[in-house]
């Protein structure tokens, strides 16, 4: 690796509530980090949680100029802190997935002619056809989703092409809504960016290409050919392809940093801008997933990240292009019923004590004597069902378990679901598979032991505060060496290793093999009942 330890690599993350930056050196040590909180530091935009929730409670947007001004602020903070911009060799970043930005006609020329004596938000004040961008929390496009699925041939067909069925927050459906409801604004739009490629454009000084990984969260891109899908474009809006530009691979060097930043902040003239991506792909890079790995984030919602070679898109979950390995894919499955459900069962069955909860997991039998529980306190995403469903070893529905049986049924059920749905999407456990655990519950070794037993793989814990940000610092470094054939794993081999937490209990695989089959069948039964 030719990365000098004197060199810096920047990773930015334009997330929902804040803009973050991390600088790493050639040894991948963090040398600087900072953030701008949108609500408190940019109060003039009147956001709560970084967004505007509209009167219909479905439409959720963020002001584009707030993101621009946040970049002015964070670069100013770095300059005031004495950060040495002259050592930055490359930068990359991520943005909240599914947000979109609509550049007004003529703004590409404005980006090319930026005057370093003025702030970006002053220079770009009139640069956007739509001043408030739809973001991932928006769910106002049900009509457009239904139209897309009908036009293309059904939900599964949309998933087969784009990696996901039609979702309200996905960019194509947001574009379709703007075209229908505000045709004059669509007509005034020269380029449509994702939050990620919009942010890259601010550094590049011209419109930046959308990368494959974030682009696969739009319901517009064929994830296999990595080109825009004509059938989806036609169902969305006219002359759309020219407004999107051609997508690029996620480690592509887009070009040199804009002279604006060189003059204003002292970046070197040869500083490279590497394609920006979505926050979830950025996190995959920050967690340094490798082929065969699975990452499980155990938080308010539980999220599973998968590295997949041969994807099988379904109407549940999402398949994106892999941001760090061009031939591969990443899958994402989100579960609403995470830590809040675990806390409810802890309060009900363990007197509110995590110690008691853990002790029960240590002392109850693996496989829970064949008892299986499905706990959907809130309407679940994967699958779309609700309610608590308990089954004994004969698959007969029962009213309840003992307190100890309930605790084990909950934790085993949550992890059985994760493995069942991962394998549906094409995930395979291979020799060397690791489970990387993060989020609040990853500090509980007894919960992790169940995770290890269900997946028949060792579990490692990772400290991934700012994982998307950090991942984009790593990706900036990778972008410089990717064209010479250096893999992401090789580029980031100096980064801190995850810590081994637990290994599978001998014989657990024999217990869980039949339980996995039974869980899949029982969940399908619950799903069919909920549709009646």
């Amino acid at each position: 690796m030719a990365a000098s330890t004197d060199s810096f690599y920047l990773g930015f993350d334009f997330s929902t509530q804040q803009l973050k930056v991390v600088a790493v050196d050639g040894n991948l040590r963090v040398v600087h980090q900072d953030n701008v909180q949108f609500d408190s530091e940019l109060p003039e935009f009147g956001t709560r949680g970084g967004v505007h929730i509209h009167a219909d409670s479905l439409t959720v947007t963020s002001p584009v100029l707030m993101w621009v001004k946040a970049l002015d602020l964070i670069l100013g903070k770095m300059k005031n802190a004495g950060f040495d911009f002259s050592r930055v060799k490359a930068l990359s970043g991520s943005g909240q997935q599914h947000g979109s930005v609509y550049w007004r006609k003529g703004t590409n020329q404005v980006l090319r002619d930026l005057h370093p004596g003025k702030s970006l938000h002053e220079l770009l004040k009139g640069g956007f056809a739509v001043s408030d961008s739809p973001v991932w929390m928006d769910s106002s496009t049900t009509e457009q989703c239904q139209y897309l699925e009908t036009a293309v041939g059904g939900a599964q067909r949309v998933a087969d092409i784009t990696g996901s069925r039609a979702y309200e927050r996905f960019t194509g459906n947001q574009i379709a809504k703007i075209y229908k409801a505000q045709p004059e604004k669509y007509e005034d739009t020269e380029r449509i960016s994702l939050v990620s490629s919009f942010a890259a454009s601010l550094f590049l000084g011209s419109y930046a290409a959308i990368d494959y990984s974030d682009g696969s969260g739009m319901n517009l891109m064929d994830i296999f050919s990595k080109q825009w899908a004509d059938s989806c474009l036609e169902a969305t809006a006219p002359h759309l392809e020219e407004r999107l530009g051609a997508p690029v691979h996620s480690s592509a060097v887009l070009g040199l940093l804009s002279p604006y930043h060189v003059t204003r902040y002292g970046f070197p003239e040869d500083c490279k801008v590497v394609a920006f991506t979505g926050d979830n792909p950025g996190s995959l890079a920050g967690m340094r997933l490798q082929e065969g790995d699975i990452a499980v984030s155990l938080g308010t919602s539980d999220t599973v990240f998968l590295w997949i070679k041969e994807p099988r898109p379904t109407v549940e979950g999402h398949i994106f292009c892999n941001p760090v390995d061009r031939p591969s894919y990443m899958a994402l499955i989100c579960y609403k019923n995470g830590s809040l459900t675990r806390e409810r069962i802890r309060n009900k069955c363990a007197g509110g004590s995590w110690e008691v909860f853990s002790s029960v997991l240590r002392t109850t039998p693996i496989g829970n004597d064949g008892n299986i529980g499905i706990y959907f306190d809130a309407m679940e995403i994967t699958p779309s069902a609700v309610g608590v469903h308990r089954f004994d070893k004969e698959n007969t529905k029962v009213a309840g378990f003992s307190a100890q049986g309930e605790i084990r049924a909950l934790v085993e059920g949550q992890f059985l679901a994760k493995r069942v749905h991962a394998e549906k999407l094409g995930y395979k456990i291979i020799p060397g598979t690791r489970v990387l655990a993060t989020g609040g519950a990853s500090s509980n070794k007894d919960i992790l032991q169940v995770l290890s037993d269900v997946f028949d793989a060792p579990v490692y814990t990772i400290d991934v505060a700012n994982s998307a940000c950090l991942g984009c610092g790593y990706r900036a470094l990778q972008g410089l060496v990717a064209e010479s054939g250096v893999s992401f794993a090789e580029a980031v081999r100096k980064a801190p290793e995850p810590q081994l937490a637990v290994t599978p209990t001998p014989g657990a695989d024999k217990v869980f093999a039949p339980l996995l089959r039974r869980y899949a069948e029982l969940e399908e039964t619950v799903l069919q009942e909920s549709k009646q």
Side-chain angles (χ1 to χ4, degrees):
M1 275 298 302
S4 164
T5 53
D6 295 333
S7 302
F8 291 160
Y9 304 88
L10 294 182
F12 291 86
D13 179 31
F14 287 71
S15 66
T16 312
Q17 299 186 43
Q18 59 183 319
L19 167 60
K20 294 174 279 196
V21 64
V22 165
V24 296
D25 65 13
N27 286 322
L28 302 184
R29 287 187 299 243
V30 174
V31 293
H32 185 88
Q33 45 191 329
D34 217 327
N35 68 82
V36 171
Q37 298 284 338
F38 299 146
D39 293 359
S40 57
E41 295 183 64
L42 295 164
E44 63 270 33
F45 293 99
T47 56
R48 292 185 64 179
V51 299
H52 293 145
I53 298 175
H54 295 234
D56 63 1
S57 298
L58 299 173
T59 306
V60 184
T61 59
S62 290
V64 188
L65 279 173
M66 177 181 76
W67 297 330
V68 179
K69 197 167 184 179
L71 181 57
D72 287 330
L73 271 185
I74 208 162
L75 291 172
K77 282 185 178 188
M78 293 171 78
K79 190 173 183 178
N80 293 338
F83 181 79
D84 187 354
F85 287 101
S86 71
R87 293 166 65 180
V88 178
K89 289 286 178 272
L91 60 85
S92 187
S94 62
Q96 53 170 301
Q97 284 200 264
H98 316 303
S100 45
V101 173
Y102 302 78
W103 301 89
R104 178 167 279 143
K105 286 177 177 172
T107 308
N108 201 31
Q109 196 57 51
V110 176
L111 282 169
R112 287 178 176 158
D113 298 335
L114 294 171
H115 189 288
K118 292 185 172 181
S119 64
L120 283 172
H121 75 275
E122 284 178 88
L123 293 164
L124 292 170
K125 211 165 255 178
F128 305 101
V130 177
S131 58
D132 264 45
S133 285
V135 294
W136 66 273
M137 295 164 72
D138 188 285
S139 55
S140 65
T141 62
T142 304
E143 179 189 327
Q144 285 75 22
C145 291
Q146 290 168 348
Y147 183 81
L148 176 66
E149 290 186 348
T150 302
V152 173
Q156 183 62 52
R157 181 67 188 140
V158 174
D160 288 340
I161 298 168
T162 72
S164 305
R165 67 171 301 163
Y167 280 92
E168 276 87 353
R169 63 187 182 278
F170 275 39
T171 320
N173 307 304
Q174 296 291 342
I175 294 168
K177 180 189 168 190
I178 284 173
Y179 168 66
K180 184 180 179 188
Q182 304 174 81
E184 71 292 345
K185 291 188 176 179
Y186 181 80
E187 185 54 38
D188 194 27
T189 298
E190 177 172 73
R191 182 69 166 244
I192 299 172
S193 293
L194 298 177
V195 177
S196 55
S197 59
F198 147 79
S201 305
L202 299 178
F203 288 103
L204 197 60
S206 62
Y207 296 148
I210 291 170
D211 82 295
Y212 294 155
S213 197
D214 207 8
S216 42
M218 298 172 72
N219 281 146
L220 290 176
M221 196 182 87
D222 183 323
I223 61 169
F224 297 101
S225 71
K226 298 180 172 62
Q227 299 296 317
W228 303 120
D230 289 341
S231 59
C232 299
L233 294 177
E234 286 163 16
T236 301
H239 309 297
L240 181 52
E241 188 165 7
E242 64 204 49
R243 286 172 167 82
L244 295 173
V248 296
H249 65 85
S250 304
S251 55
V253 174
L254 300 176
L256 294 173
L257 188 69
S258 162
Y260 171 89
H261 296 286
V262 173
T263 305
R264 190 171 172 92
Y265 297 105
F267 282 92
E269 289 183 359
D270 63 350
C271 178
K272 306 282 200 314
V273 178
V274 175
F276 282 37
T277 192
D279 52 3
N280 287 310
S283 288
L284 179 136
M287 292 187 276
R288 296 168 57 219
L289 253 67
Q290 300 165 15
E291 185 183 349
D293 285 351
I294 179 168
V296 180
S297 175
L298 299 169
T300 305
S301 59
D302 287 351
T303 307
V304 176
F305 294 84
L306 308 163
W307 180 299
I308 289 183
K309 279 288 191 195
E310 295 168 8
R312 294 198 300 264
T314 72
V315 293
E316 293 162 358
H318 310 289
I319 297 199
F320 302 132
C321 297
N322 189 304
V324 298
D325 185 64
R326 235 187 279 186
S328 299
Y329 293 84
M330 68 172 276
L332 189 70
I333 317 171
C334 195
Y335 300 87
K336 260 190 212 169
N337 295 281
S339 64
L340 298 181
T341 309
R342 288 187 285 272
E343 286 167 16
R344 179 180 72 77
I345 297 294
R346 176 204 63 186
N347 294 342
K348 177 186 163 197
C349 300
S353 162
W354 283 122
E355 287 76 19
V356 173
F357 190 97
S358 294
S359 166
V360 167
L361 290 177
R362 285 195 299 274
T363 55
T364 47
I366 291 173
N368 206 21
D369 296 323
N371 294 313
I372 290 179
I374 297 174
Y375 296 81
F376 299 152
D377 289 4
M379 176 61 78
E380 191 45 271
I381 301 167
T382 313
S384 180
V386 73
V388 175
H389 312 271
R390 302 177 186 86
F391 301 89
D392 65 15
K393 62 183 179 185
E394 310 294 338
N395 289 354
T396 303
K397 257 201 167 178
V398 294
F401 299 137
S402 67
Q404 290 86 348
E406 186 98 321
I407 288 170
R408 181 162 275 279
L410 166 73
V411 180
E412 285 187 352
Q414 287 186 326
F415 295 144
L416 286 165
K418 289 169 178 53
R419 182 164 171 183
V420 163
H421 288 284
E423 290 180 345
K424 272 189 187 178
L425 286 169
Y427 176 75
K428 295 182 179 73
I429 291 172
I430 59 173
T433 285
R434 304 175 303 169
V435 179
L436 305 176
T438 182
S442 66
S443 61
N444 186 314
K445 267 201 165 167
D446 298 291
I447 290 176
L448 296 187
Q449 186 63 60
V450 181
L451 177 61
S452 179
D453 291 345
V454 170
F455 277 86
D456 191 32
V459 173
Y460 293 77
T461 51
I462 37 179
D463 177 19
V464 286
N466 301 330
S467 62
C469 220
L470 189 60
C472 291
Y474 295 167
R475 290 179 53 257
L477 174 78
Q478 184 208 11
L480 296 191
V481 297
E483 290 307 322
S484 55
V486 177
S487 70
F488 180 74
E490 172 64 14
V492 298
R493 64 188 166 80
K494 291 180 180 173
E497 287 296 328
Q499 301 299 305
L500 178 63
V502 291
T503 55
T505 304
D509 56 326
K510 306 283 193 301
V511 177
F512 283 114
L515 287 177
L516 281 160
R517 288 192 294 274
R518 282 183 56 212
Y519 183 92
E521 290 164 6
L522 291 168
E523 191 184 80
E524 185 58 35
T525 302
V526 166
L527 187 58
Q528 294 310 320
E529 285 174 1
S530 72
K531 289 177 178 173
Q532 291 170 7

